[in-house]
Amino acid sequence: QLRNNMHRLLQFGLPAETPIALIRWGTKADQEVLTGAVGTIADRAAERGFEPPAVIVVGDVVRLRGRLQWFESKPLFGKRIVVTRPRAQASRFADLLEQHGAEVFRFPTIETVQMDSYAALDVGLDTVASYDWLIFTSVNGVRYFFDRLQERQLDIRSLGSVRIAAIGPETARAIEARYLRVDAVPQEYRAEALIEVLGVEKAQRILLPRAAEARAILPQELRSIGAHVDEIATYRTIRTSQPRNRDDKFRSLLRGDYIDLLTFTSSSTVRNFVASFPGEDVLALLGKTQIGCIGPITAATAREYGLTVAIQPHDYTIPAFSEAIVEYYQK
């Protein structure tokens, strides 16, 4: 109806040189804007192959576009990025990417669930004040530990004088939100670096509440220097159960090279992403889609599946990961 509408505007006296803008798929990654004048815009749209859906803006306000446009100048404008974090934790990452102009697709590949039994954790909670160190390696570990503490009708006074360590700043913030001070955080946010800052001595007792599927490197290294480590599973990581058509729809997006970047924030997100497409050649499925990983452990898991990692931040945090993505596309 564009040509007919423009004809009617001219018929009722609007000057042919009146500025006009057509905005297609506004606020999305494939937003497209075509500017012109009322008398010529129909021809320009036909030449360009400009199709609906579109919003039409008519008048002198269009002249301000060059000065006021902000969305298309964002560093991630036009980029479609997939976040595979658990749904409950995806919002912060997605928000940061969207603030930079990306169109974000949430494709959670994992979720965390409670253990079938908390008998082992209950024993640890009853004697937690007798430990020298309480070590948390994830935000989820903090949440499940203190949720169980509350269920047992206990509180932070039960911790006594035990010192607390966190694998990184996000885990530390989750602990501090419980009104507790963190005694040790490594500069490099992985298990191996944590051992260096603890200053653990022989025969010290360490309580390590974490995921059932966590890597064995941390307790092994602590035991090798003579520490007594009680490693207790406080939650499990499982593959997210989703309707079959979700995976089929996402498969079609990947095959059509519609996705620019696939992000992974843990080794389990990588493994369960691959498991979402059984019998599929994942490399062929990804095509030109780039891969980003939050840290070296996650990146190593991605490479085990033959994936090439294009983006990896120096700091293994969500804000640093977001900035690394921005820097990659700015270059």
Side-chain angles (χ1 to χ4, degrees), residues 72-107:
E72 293 168 330
S73 62
K74 289 194 170 189
L76 296 182
F77 170 73
K79 303 303 177 187
R80 303 178 183 92
I81 301 177
V82 174
V83 172
T84 58
R85 293 196 97 188
R87 184 171 283 104
Q89 296 174 290
S91 294
R92 185 177 178 222
F93 191 22
D95 288 347
L96 288 171
L97 296 173
E98 287 170 346
Q99 286 170 20
H100 290 299
E103 183 176 358
V104 177
F105 294 81
R106 290 167 173 81
F107 188 82

PDB file of all heavy atoms in Angstrom, residues 72-107:
ATOM      1  N   GLU A  72      21.376   1.778  15.946  1.00  0.00           N
ATOM      2  CA  GLU A  72      22.225   1.168  14.917  1.00  0.00           C
ATOM      3  C   GLU A  72      23.708   1.425  15.149  1.00  0.00           C
ATOM      4  O   GLU A  72      24.557   0.786  14.518  1.00  0.00           O
ATOM      5  CB  GLU A  72      21.816   1.692  13.536  1.00  0.00           C
ATOM      6  CG  GLU A  72      20.433   1.219  13.116  1.00  0.00           C
ATOM      7  CD  GLU A  72      19.920   1.972  11.907  1.00  0.00           C
ATOM      8  OE1 GLU A  72      20.293   3.147  11.743  1.00  0.00           O
ATOM      9  OE2 GLU A  72      19.142   1.400  11.141  1.00  0.00           O
ATOM     10  N   SER A  73      24.042   2.359  16.050  1.00  0.00           N
ATOM     11  CA  SER A  73      25.448   2.649  16.322  1.00  0.00           C
ATOM     12  C   SER A  73      25.983   1.833  17.496  1.00  0.00           C
ATOM     13  O   SER A  73      27.169   1.935  17.819  1.00  0.00           O
ATOM     14  CB  SER A  73      25.620   4.150  16.609  1.00  0.00           C
ATOM     15  OG  SER A  73      24.886   4.521  17.763  1.00  0.00           O
ATOM     16  N   LYS A  74      25.143   1.036  18.130  1.00  0.00           N
ATOM     17  CA  LYS A  74      25.621   0.201  19.229  1.00  0.00           C
ATOM     18  C   LYS A  74      26.568  -0.872  18.691  1.00  0.00           C
ATOM     19  O   LYS A  74      26.386  -1.378  17.579  1.00  0.00           O
ATOM     20  CB  LYS A  74      24.445  -0.441  19.960  1.00  0.00           C
ATOM     21  CG  LYS A  74      23.635   0.564  20.783  1.00  0.00           C
ATOM     22  CD  LYS A  74      22.706  -0.139  21.745  1.00  0.00           C
ATOM     23  CE  LYS A  74      22.091   0.846  22.718  1.00  0.00           C
ATOM     24  NZ  LYS A  74      21.357   0.188  23.805  1.00  0.00           N
ATOM     25  N   PRO A  75      27.584  -1.254  19.483  1.00  0.00           N
ATOM     26  CA  PRO A  75      28.639  -2.136  18.953  1.00  0.00           C
ATOM     27  C   PRO A  75      28.176  -3.531  18.552  1.00  0.00           C
ATOM     28  O   PRO A  75      28.803  -4.157  17.704  1.00  0.00           O
ATOM     29  CB  PRO A  75      29.653  -2.208  20.108  1.00  0.00           C
ATOM     30  CG  PRO A  75      28.883  -1.818  21.326  1.00  0.00           C
ATOM     31  CD  PRO A  75      27.870  -0.824  20.858  1.00  0.00           C
ATOM     32  N   LEU A  76      27.085  -4.014  19.155  1.00  0.00           N
ATOM     33  CA  LEU A  76      26.596  -5.346  18.805  1.00  0.00           C
ATOM     34  C   LEU A  76      25.310  -5.302  17.973  1.00  0.00           C
ATOM     35  O   LEU A  76      24.637  -6.321  17.824  1.00  0.00           O
ATOM     36  CB  LEU A  76      26.354  -6.179  20.081  1.00  0.00           C
ATOM     37  CG  LEU A  76      27.592  -6.480  20.932  1.00  0.00           C
ATOM     38  CD1 LEU A  76      27.222  -7.343  22.124  1.00  0.00           C
ATOM     39  CD2 LEU A  76      28.677  -7.163  20.104  1.00  0.00           C
ATOM     40  N   PHE A  77      25.003  -4.127  17.414  1.00  0.00           N
ATOM     41  CA  PHE A  77      23.817  -4.038  16.572  1.00  0.00           C
ATOM     42  C   PHE A  77      23.942  -5.004  15.392  1.00  0.00           C
ATOM     43  O   PHE A  77      24.981  -5.090  14.747  1.00  0.00           O
ATOM     44  CB  PHE A  77      23.629  -2.617  16.041  1.00  0.00           C
ATOM     45  CG  PHE A  77      22.560  -2.523  14.986  1.00  0.00           C
ATOM     46  CD1 PHE A  77      21.229  -2.617  15.318  1.00  0.00           C
ATOM     47  CD2 PHE A  77      22.903  -2.390  13.649  1.00  0.00           C
ATOM     48  CE1 PHE A  77      20.235  -2.560  14.345  1.00  0.00           C
ATOM     49  CE2 PHE A  77      21.925  -2.325  12.664  1.00  0.00           C
ATOM     50  CZ  PHE A  77      20.582  -2.415  13.017  1.00  0.00           C
ATOM     51  N   GLY A  78      22.878  -5.717  15.130  1.00  0.00           N
ATOM     52  CA  GLY A  78      22.871  -6.660  14.011  1.00  0.00           C
ATOM     53  C   GLY A  78      23.391  -8.040  14.352  1.00  0.00           C
ATOM     54  O   GLY A  78      23.352  -8.937  13.511  1.00  0.00           O
ATOM     55  N   LYS A  79      23.886  -8.242  15.593  1.00  0.00           N
ATOM     56  CA  LYS A  79      24.435  -9.534  15.990  1.00  0.00           C
ATOM     57  C   LYS A  79      23.385 -10.348  16.761  1.00  0.00           C
ATOM     58  O   LYS A  79      22.719  -9.832  17.647  1.00  0.00           O
ATOM     59  CB  LYS A  79      25.686  -9.360  16.852  1.00  0.00           C
ATOM     60  CG  LYS A  79      26.787  -8.557  16.177  1.00  0.00           C
ATOM     61  CD  LYS A  79      27.201  -9.175  14.851  1.00  0.00           C
ATOM     62  CE  LYS A  79      28.245  -8.327  14.149  1.00  0.00           C
ATOM     63  NZ  LYS A  79      28.534  -8.843  12.782  1.00  0.00           N
ATOM     64  N   ARG A  80      23.287 -11.598  16.387  1.00  0.00           N
ATOM     65  CA  ARG A  80      22.372 -12.524  17.062  1.00  0.00           C
ATOM     66  C   ARG A  80      23.213 -13.481  17.904  1.00  0.00           C
ATOM     67  O   ARG A  80      24.023 -14.238  17.357  1.00  0.00           O
ATOM     68  CB  ARG A  80      21.524 -13.279  16.038  1.00  0.00           C
ATOM     69  CG  ARG A  80      20.725 -12.352  15.115  1.00  0.00           C
ATOM     70  CD  ARG A  80      19.946 -13.148  14.086  1.00  0.00           C
ATOM     71  NE  ARG A  80      19.235 -12.295  13.168  1.00  0.00           N
ATOM     72  CZ  ARG A  80      19.726 -11.867  12.010  1.00  0.00           C
ATOM     73  NH1 ARG A  80      20.951 -12.235  11.644  1.00  0.00           N
ATOM     74  NH2 ARG A  80      19.008 -11.100  11.221  1.00  0.00           N
ATOM     75  N   ILE A  81      23.012 -13.423  19.205  1.00  0.00           N
ATOM     76  CA  ILE A  81      23.869 -14.153  20.138  1.00  0.00           C
ATOM     77  C   ILE A  81      23.037 -15.091  20.992  1.00  0.00           C
ATOM     78  O   ILE A  81      21.985 -14.715  21.511  1.00  0.00           O
ATOM     79  CB  ILE A  81      24.646 -13.164  21.032  1.00  0.00           C
ATOM     80  CG1 ILE A  81      25.508 -12.243  20.150  1.00  0.00           C
ATOM     81  CG2 ILE A  81      25.506 -13.901  22.042  1.00  0.00           C
ATOM     82  CD1 ILE A  81      26.257 -11.172  20.914  1.00  0.00           C
ATOM     83  N   VAL A  82      23.536 -16.310  21.147  1.00  0.00           N
ATOM     84  CA  VAL A  82      22.838 -17.331  21.928  1.00  0.00           C
ATOM     85  C   VAL A  82      23.473 -17.455  23.306  1.00  0.00           C
ATOM     86  O   VAL A  82      24.699 -17.550  23.430  1.00  0.00           O
ATOM     87  CB  VAL A  82      22.876 -18.696  21.209  1.00  0.00           C
ATOM     88  CG1 VAL A  82      22.272 -19.793  22.099  1.00  0.00           C
ATOM     89  CG2 VAL A  82      22.123 -18.608  19.891  1.00  0.00           C
ATOM     90  N   VAL A  83      22.639 -17.441  24.342  1.00  0.00           N
ATOM     91  CA  VAL A  83      23.078 -17.648  25.724  1.00  0.00           C
ATOM     92  C   VAL A  83      22.598 -19.020  26.166  1.00  0.00           C
ATOM     93  O   VAL A  83      21.396 -19.303  26.124  1.00  0.00           O
ATOM     94  CB  VAL A  83      22.515 -16.556  26.649  1.00  0.00           C
ATOM     95  CG1 VAL A  83      22.814 -16.869  28.115  1.00  0.00           C
ATOM     96  CG2 VAL A  83      23.097 -15.190  26.270  1.00  0.00           C
ATOM     97  N   THR A  84      23.536 -19.871  26.572  1.00  0.00           N
ATOM     98  CA  THR A  84      23.193 -21.257  26.954  1.00  0.00           C
ATOM     99  C   THR A  84      23.168 -21.461  28.459  1.00  0.00           C
ATOM    100  O   THR A  84      23.034 -22.588  28.925  1.00  0.00           O
ATOM    101  CB  THR A  84      24.212 -22.241  26.334  1.00  0.00           C
ATOM    102  OG1 THR A  84      25.534 -21.897  26.777  1.00  0.00           O
ATOM    103  CG2 THR A  84      24.158 -22.193  24.816  1.00  0.00           C
ATOM    104  N   ARG A  85      23.308 -20.392  29.228  1.00  0.00           N
ATOM    105  CA  ARG A  85      23.284 -20.502  30.694  1.00  0.00           C
ATOM    106  C   ARG A  85      21.927 -21.015  31.170  1.00  0.00           C
ATOM    107  O   ARG A  85      20.916 -20.898  30.456  1.00  0.00           O
ATOM    108  CB  ARG A  85      23.507 -19.134  31.358  1.00  0.00           C
ATOM    109  CG  ARG A  85      24.857 -18.532  31.186  1.00  0.00           C
ATOM    110  CD  ARG A  85      25.076 -17.405  32.174  1.00  0.00           C
ATOM    111  NE  ARG A  85      25.809 -17.861  33.351  1.00  0.00           N
ATOM    112  CZ  ARG A  85      26.003 -17.134  34.429  1.00  0.00           C
ATOM    113  NH1 ARG A  85      25.481 -15.934  34.520  1.00  0.00           N
ATOM    114  NH2 ARG A  85      26.707 -17.604  35.436  1.00  0.00           N
ATOM    115  N   PRO A  86      21.866 -21.547  32.398  1.00  0.00           N
ATOM    116  CA  PRO A  86      20.569 -21.922  32.970  1.00  0.00           C
ATOM    117  C   PRO A  86      19.627 -20.728  32.963  1.00  0.00           C
ATOM    118  O   PRO A  86      20.052 -19.581  33.135  1.00  0.00           O
ATOM    119  CB  PRO A  86      20.913 -22.343  34.404  1.00  0.00           C
ATOM    120  CG  PRO A  86      22.346 -22.744  34.346  1.00  0.00           C
ATOM    121  CD  PRO A  86      22.984 -21.864  33.312  1.00  0.00           C
ATOM    122  N   ARG A  87      18.358 -20.976  32.762  1.00  0.00           N
ATOM    123  CA  ARG A  87      17.374 -19.903  32.627  1.00  0.00           C
ATOM    124  C   ARG A  87      17.426 -18.932  33.813  1.00  0.00           C
ATOM    125  O   ARG A  87      17.318 -17.718  33.646  1.00  0.00           O
ATOM    126  CB  ARG A  87      15.973 -20.499  32.491  1.00  0.00           C
ATOM    127  CG  ARG A  87      14.886 -19.462  32.246  1.00  0.00           C
ATOM    128  CD  ARG A  87      13.561 -20.100  31.910  1.00  0.00           C
ATOM    129  NE  ARG A  87      13.546 -20.573  30.520  1.00  0.00           N
ATOM    130  CZ  ARG A  87      13.657 -21.839  30.169  1.00  0.00           C
ATOM    131  NH1 ARG A  87      13.798 -22.774  31.071  1.00  0.00           N
ATOM    132  NH2 ARG A  87      13.632 -22.194  28.895  1.00  0.00           N
ATOM    133  N   ALA A  88      17.600 -19.459  35.017  1.00  0.00           N
ATOM    134  CA  ALA A  88      17.601 -18.617  36.219  1.00  0.00           C
ATOM    135  C   ALA A  88      18.799 -17.682  36.278  1.00  0.00           C
ATOM    136  O   ALA A  88      18.768 -16.681  36.988  1.00  0.00           O
ATOM    137  CB  ALA A  88      17.564 -19.494  37.469  1.00  0.00           C
ATOM    138  N   GLN A  89      19.858 -17.980  35.542  1.00  0.00           N
ATOM    139  CA  GLN A  89      21.079 -17.183  35.591  1.00  0.00           C
ATOM    140  C   GLN A  89      21.355 -16.430  34.294  1.00  0.00           C
ATOM    141  O   GLN A  89      22.343 -15.716  34.193  1.00  0.00           O
ATOM    142  CB  GLN A  89      22.273 -18.088  35.913  1.00  0.00           C
ATOM    143  CG  GLN A  89      22.206 -18.743  37.275  1.00  0.00           C
ATOM    144  CD  GLN A  89      23.339 -19.737  37.469  1.00  0.00           C
ATOM    145  OE1 GLN A  89      23.381 -20.791  36.860  1.00  0.00           O
ATOM    146  NE2 GLN A  89      24.276 -19.373  38.318  1.00  0.00           N
ATOM    147  N   ALA A  90      20.498 -16.587  33.308  1.00  0.00           N
ATOM    148  CA  ALA A  90      20.773 -16.031  31.980  1.00  0.00           C
ATOM    149  C   ALA A  90      20.493 -14.540  31.877  1.00  0.00           C
ATOM    150  O   ALA A  90      21.075 -13.851  31.036  1.00  0.00           O
ATOM    151  CB  ALA A  90      19.956 -16.783  30.925  1.00  0.00           C
ATOM    152  N   SER A  91      19.625 -14.020  32.720  1.00  0.00           N
ATOM    153  CA  SER A  91      19.133 -12.646  32.539  1.00  0.00           C
ATOM    154  C   SER A  91      20.238 -11.606  32.568  1.00  0.00           C
ATOM    155  O   SER A  91      20.273 -10.696  31.734  1.00  0.00           O
ATOM    156  CB  SER A  91      18.084 -12.327  33.604  1.00  0.00           C
ATOM    157  OG  SER A  91      16.937 -13.117  33.417  1.00  0.00           O
ATOM    158  N   ARG A  92      21.147 -11.716  33.520  1.00  0.00           N
ATOM    159  CA  ARG A  92      22.190 -10.694  33.639  1.00  0.00           C
ATOM    160  C   ARG A  92      23.069 -10.656  32.391  1.00  0.00           C
ATOM    161  O   ARG A  92      23.375  -9.582  31.856  1.00  0.00           O
ATOM    162  CB  ARG A  92      23.049 -10.964  34.871  1.00  0.00           C
ATOM    163  CG  ARG A  92      24.083  -9.866  35.128  1.00  0.00           C
ATOM    164  CD  ARG A  92      24.860 -10.133  36.393  1.00  0.00           C
ATOM    165  NE  ARG A  92      25.878  -9.132  36.618  1.00  0.00           N
ATOM    166  CZ  ARG A  92      27.104  -9.389  37.029  1.00  0.00           C
ATOM    167  NH1 ARG A  92      27.471 -10.624  37.254  1.00  0.00           N
ATOM    168  NH2 ARG A  92      27.975  -8.424  37.220  1.00  0.00           N
ATOM    169  N   PHE A  93      23.472 -11.813  31.914  1.00  0.00           N
ATOM    170  CA  PHE A  93      24.296 -11.897  30.706  1.00  0.00           C
ATOM    171  C   PHE A  93      23.529 -11.351  29.506  1.00  0.00           C
ATOM    172  O   PHE A  93      24.045 -10.546  28.727  1.00  0.00           O
ATOM    173  CB  PHE A  93      24.700 -13.346  30.490  1.00  0.00           C
ATOM    174  CG  PHE A  93      25.755 -13.562  29.441  1.00  0.00           C
ATOM    175  CD1 PHE A  93      26.618 -12.539  29.056  1.00  0.00           C
ATOM    176  CD2 PHE A  93      25.900 -14.804  28.840  1.00  0.00           C
ATOM    177  CE1 PHE A  93      27.601 -12.744  28.093  1.00  0.00           C
ATOM    178  CE2 PHE A  93      26.876 -15.030  27.875  1.00  0.00           C
ATOM    179  CZ  PHE A  93      27.719 -13.993  27.502  1.00  0.00           C
ATOM    180  N   ALA A  94      22.279 -11.786  29.357  1.00  0.00           N
ATOM    181  CA  ALA A  94      21.457 -11.335  28.236  1.00  0.00           C
ATOM    182  C   ALA A  94      21.254  -9.824  28.280  1.00  0.00           C
ATOM    183  O   ALA A  94      21.320  -9.142  27.247  1.00  0.00           O
ATOM    184  CB  ALA A  94      20.116 -12.057  28.256  1.00  0.00           C
ATOM    185  N   ASP A  95      21.024  -9.278  29.467  1.00  0.00           N
ATOM    186  CA  ASP A  95      20.818  -7.831  29.603  1.00  0.00           C
ATOM    187  C   ASP A  95      22.041  -7.048  29.152  1.00  0.00           C
ATOM    188  O   ASP A  95      21.930  -6.028  28.466  1.00  0.00           O
ATOM    189  CB  ASP A  95      20.480  -7.473  31.050  1.00  0.00           C
ATOM    190  CG  ASP A  95      19.074  -7.915  31.448  1.00  0.00           C
ATOM    191  OD1 ASP A  95      18.290  -8.260  30.552  1.00  0.00           O
ATOM    192  OD2 ASP A  95      18.778  -7.919  32.660  1.00  0.00           O
ATOM    193  N   LEU A  96      23.234  -7.510  29.549  1.00  0.00           N
ATOM    194  CA  LEU A  96      24.463  -6.819  29.162  1.00  0.00           C
ATOM    195  C   LEU A  96      24.635  -6.822  27.647  1.00  0.00           C
ATOM    196  O   LEU A  96      25.022  -5.805  27.047  1.00  0.00           O
ATOM    197  CB  LEU A  96      25.667  -7.481  29.827  1.00  0.00           C
ATOM    198  CG  LEU A  96      25.811  -7.260  31.340  1.00  0.00           C
ATOM    199  CD1 LEU A  96      26.925  -8.148  31.900  1.00  0.00           C
ATOM    200  CD2 LEU A  96      26.096  -5.801  31.648  1.00  0.00           C
ATOM    201  N   LEU A  97      24.354  -7.960  27.012  1.00  0.00           N
ATOM    202  CA  LEU A  97      24.486  -8.052  25.557  1.00  0.00           C
ATOM    203  C   LEU A  97      23.458  -7.174  24.850  1.00  0.00           C
ATOM    204  O   LEU A  97      23.769  -6.498  23.861  1.00  0.00           O
ATOM    205  CB  LEU A  97      24.339  -9.507  25.115  1.00  0.00           C
ATOM    206  CG  LEU A  97      25.424 -10.471  25.619  1.00  0.00           C
ATOM    207  CD1 LEU A  97      25.059 -11.904  25.263  1.00  0.00           C
ATOM    208  CD2 LEU A  97      26.785 -10.107  25.049  1.00  0.00           C
ATOM    209  N   GLU A  98      22.233  -7.173  25.368  1.00  0.00           N
ATOM    210  CA  GLU A  98      21.176  -6.366  24.756  1.00  0.00           C
ATOM    211  C   GLU A  98      21.446  -4.875  24.907  1.00  0.00           C
ATOM    212  O   GLU A  98      21.109  -4.086  24.029  1.00  0.00           O
ATOM    213  CB  GLU A  98      19.832  -6.740  25.366  1.00  0.00           C
ATOM    214  CG  GLU A  98      19.329  -8.107  24.891  1.00  0.00           C
ATOM    215  CD  GLU A  98      18.117  -8.601  25.649  1.00  0.00           C
ATOM    216  OE1 GLU A  98      17.819  -8.019  26.731  1.00  0.00           O
ATOM    217  OE2 GLU A  98      17.473  -9.558  25.187  1.00  0.00           O
ATOM    218  N   GLN A  99      22.065  -4.478  26.016  1.00  0.00           N
ATOM    219  CA  GLN A  99      22.421  -3.073  26.195  1.00  0.00           C
ATOM    220  C   GLN A  99      23.405  -2.606  25.129  1.00  0.00           C
ATOM    221  O   GLN A  99      23.443  -1.420  24.786  1.00  0.00           O
ATOM    222  CB  GLN A  99      23.019  -2.865  27.589  1.00  0.00           C
ATOM    223  CG  GLN A  99      22.007  -2.912  28.715  1.00  0.00           C
ATOM    224  CD  GLN A  99      22.661  -2.950  30.082  1.00  0.00           C
ATOM    225  OE1 GLN A  99      23.840  -2.585  30.229  1.00  0.00           O
ATOM    226  NE2 GLN A  99      21.927  -3.386  31.083  1.00  0.00           N
ATOM    227  N   HIS A 100      24.189  -3.539  24.603  1.00  0.00           N
ATOM    228  CA  HIS A 100      25.140  -3.213  23.537  1.00  0.00           C
ATOM    229  C   HIS A 100      24.521  -3.397  22.148  1.00  0.00           C
ATOM    230  O   HIS A 100      25.234  -3.285  21.149  1.00  0.00           O
ATOM    231  CB  HIS A 100      26.393  -4.075  23.658  1.00  0.00           C
ATOM    232  CG  HIS A 100      27.258  -3.726  24.834  1.00  0.00           C
ATOM    233  ND1 HIS A 100      27.840  -2.489  24.989  1.00  0.00           N
ATOM    234  CD2 HIS A 100      27.630  -4.443  25.928  1.00  0.00           C
ATOM    235  CE1 HIS A 100      28.543  -2.450  26.101  1.00  0.00           C
ATOM    236  NE2 HIS A 100      28.436  -3.618  26.698  1.00  0.00           N
ATOM    237  N   GLY A 101      23.226  -3.699  22.086  1.00  0.00           N
ATOM    238  CA  GLY A 101      22.528  -3.762  20.809  1.00  0.00           C
ATOM    239  C   GLY A 101      22.318  -5.137  20.218  1.00  0.00           C
ATOM    240  O   GLY A 101      21.743  -5.265  19.132  1.00  0.00           O
ATOM    241  N   ALA A 102      22.748  -6.204  20.893  1.00  0.00           N
ATOM    242  CA  ALA A 102      22.593  -7.557  20.345  1.00  0.00           C
ATOM    243  C   ALA A 102      21.153  -8.037  20.468  1.00  0.00           C
ATOM    244  O   ALA A 102      20.406  -7.608  21.350  1.00  0.00           O
ATOM    245  CB  ALA A 102      23.517  -8.521  21.081  1.00  0.00           C
ATOM    246  N   GLU A 103      20.781  -8.934  19.585  1.00  0.00           N
ATOM    247  CA  GLU A 103      19.523  -9.664  19.736  1.00  0.00           C
ATOM    248  C   GLU A 103      19.885 -11.009  20.364  1.00  0.00           C
ATOM    249  O   GLU A 103      20.658 -11.781  19.793  1.00  0.00           O
ATOM    250  CB  GLU A 103      18.842  -9.877  18.380  1.00  0.00           C
ATOM    251  CG  GLU A 103      17.500 -10.578  18.504  1.00  0.00           C
ATOM    252  CD  GLU A 103      16.764 -10.716  17.184  1.00  0.00           C
ATOM    253  OE1 GLU A 103      17.292 -10.234  16.156  1.00  0.00           O
ATOM    254  OE2 GLU A 103      15.674 -11.303  17.176  1.00  0.00           O
ATOM    255  N   VAL A 104      19.354 -11.274  21.544  1.00  0.00           N
ATOM    256  CA  VAL A 104      19.759 -12.434  22.331  1.00  0.00           C
ATOM    257  C   VAL A 104      18.710 -13.535  22.258  1.00  0.00           C
ATOM    258  O   VAL A 104      17.520 -13.288  22.421  1.00  0.00           O
ATOM    259  CB  VAL A 104      20.003 -12.035  23.803  1.00  0.00           C
ATOM    260  CG1 VAL A 104      20.357 -13.262  24.636  1.00  0.00           C
ATOM    261  CG2 VAL A 104      21.122 -11.005  23.893  1.00  0.00           C
ATOM    262  N   PHE A 105      19.197 -14.739  22.019  1.00  0.00           N
ATOM    263  CA  PHE A 105      18.350 -15.929  22.036  1.00  0.00           C
ATOM    264  C   PHE A 105      18.729 -16.756  23.260  1.00  0.00           C
ATOM    265  O   PHE A 105      19.897 -17.095  23.443  1.00  0.00           O
ATOM    266  CB  PHE A 105      18.550 -16.778  20.773  1.00  0.00           C
ATOM    267  CG  PHE A 105      18.084 -16.108  19.511  1.00  0.00           C
ATOM    268  CD1 PHE A 105      18.887 -15.171  18.875  1.00  0.00           C
ATOM    269  CD2 PHE A 105      16.848 -16.410  18.964  1.00  0.00           C
ATOM    270  CE1 PHE A 105      18.465 -14.546  17.718  1.00  0.00           C
ATOM    271  CE2 PHE A 105      16.412 -15.785  17.797  1.00  0.00           C
ATOM    272  CZ  PHE A 105      17.227 -14.859  17.175  1.00  0.00           C
ATOM    273  N   ARG A 106      17.768 -17.070  24.089  1.00  0.00           N
ATOM    274  CA  ARG A 106      18.027 -17.904  25.270  1.00  0.00           C
ATOM    275  C   ARG A 106      17.794 -19.371  24.904  1.00  0.00           C
ATOM    276  O   ARG A 106      16.700 -19.749  24.521  1.00  0.00           O
ATOM    277  CB  ARG A 106      17.123 -17.479  26.425  1.00  0.00           C
ATOM    278  CG  ARG A 106      17.485 -16.105  27.003  1.00  0.00           C
ATOM    279  CD  ARG A 106      16.380 -15.598  27.929  1.00  0.00           C
ATOM    280  NE  ARG A 106      16.755 -14.374  28.629  1.00  0.00           N
ATOM    281  CZ  ARG A 106      16.703 -13.161  28.116  1.00  0.00           C
ATOM    282  NH1 ARG A 106      16.315 -13.002  26.852  1.00  0.00           N
ATOM    283  NH2 ARG A 106      17.048 -12.095  28.830  1.00  0.00           N
ATOM    284  N   PHE A 107      18.850 -20.154  25.029  1.00  0.00           N
ATOM    285  CA  PHE A 107      18.782 -21.577  24.721  1.00  0.00           C
ATOM    286  C   PHE A 107      19.453 -22.318  25.878  1.00  0.00           C
ATOM    287  O   PHE A 107      20.571 -22.814  25.744  1.00  0.00           O
ATOM    288  CB  PHE A 107      19.487 -21.869  23.395  1.00  0.00           C
ATOM    289  CG  PHE A 107      19.317 -23.281  22.900  1.00  0.00           C
ATOM    290  CD1 PHE A 107      18.181 -23.670  22.214  1.00  0.00           C
ATOM    291  CD2 PHE A 107      20.313 -24.223  23.109  1.00  0.00           C
ATOM    292  CE1 PHE A 107      18.038 -24.967  21.747  1.00  0.00           C
ATOM    293  CE2 PHE A 107      20.177 -25.522  22.647  1.00  0.00           C
ATOM    294  CZ  PHE A 107      19.033 -25.898  21.966  1.00  0.00           C
TER     295      PHE A 107
END
